Amino acid sequence: QVQLVESGGGLVQAGGSLRLSCAASGRAFSGYAMGWFRQAPGKEREFVGAITQSGAVTYDADSVKGRFTISRDNAKNTVYLQMNSLKPEDTAVYYCAADRVYGVVRAGQAAYWGQGTQVTVSS
């Protein structure tokens, strides 16, 4: 069993930055691939990016490529989403997800999900 808790969301002006954190409880965090997703009001959930257990591979959706970076600290049981050059269209609830299989995370079918953290970008 893995429990995920996101933090770091808030209100920021366009062009600003935020760093989201997702803290995982439970054992063997290093054995899980992690992903970030977001959902804006009235829209479907969107894949943002994912990172493998070793952190060697990071995938960012085209809409955030070059602006967002995913990283993980296995010693702290935490995965991060650094968001730079934020735009109003980045406004959404951001969720982290975990699964032992990277492909499952990438497909949005991860076994474990956090409760989400709101990110609002003002113009």
Side-chain angles (χ1 to χ4, degrees), residues 8-74:
L11 174 64
V12 63
Q13 290 187 334
S17 298
L18 283 175
R19 188 177 79 158
L20 305 184
S21 299
C22 174
S25 63
R27 296 179 291 181
F29 171 77
S30 61
Y32 287 84
M34 304 294 295
W36 285 97
F37 294 78
R38 66 185 182 183
Q39 188 167 21
K43 294 186 177 181
E44 294 185 353
R45 186 176 64 195
E46 177 187 21
F47 172 71
V48 175
I51 189 166
T52 65
Q53 286 84 336
S54 65
V57 177
T58 302
Y59 182 90
D60 294 328
D62 288 343
S63 60
V64 304
K65 194 170 294 183
R67 299 188 298 121
F68 290 10
T69 302
I70 297 172
S71 62
R72 67 189 295 160
D73 185 337
N74 288 338

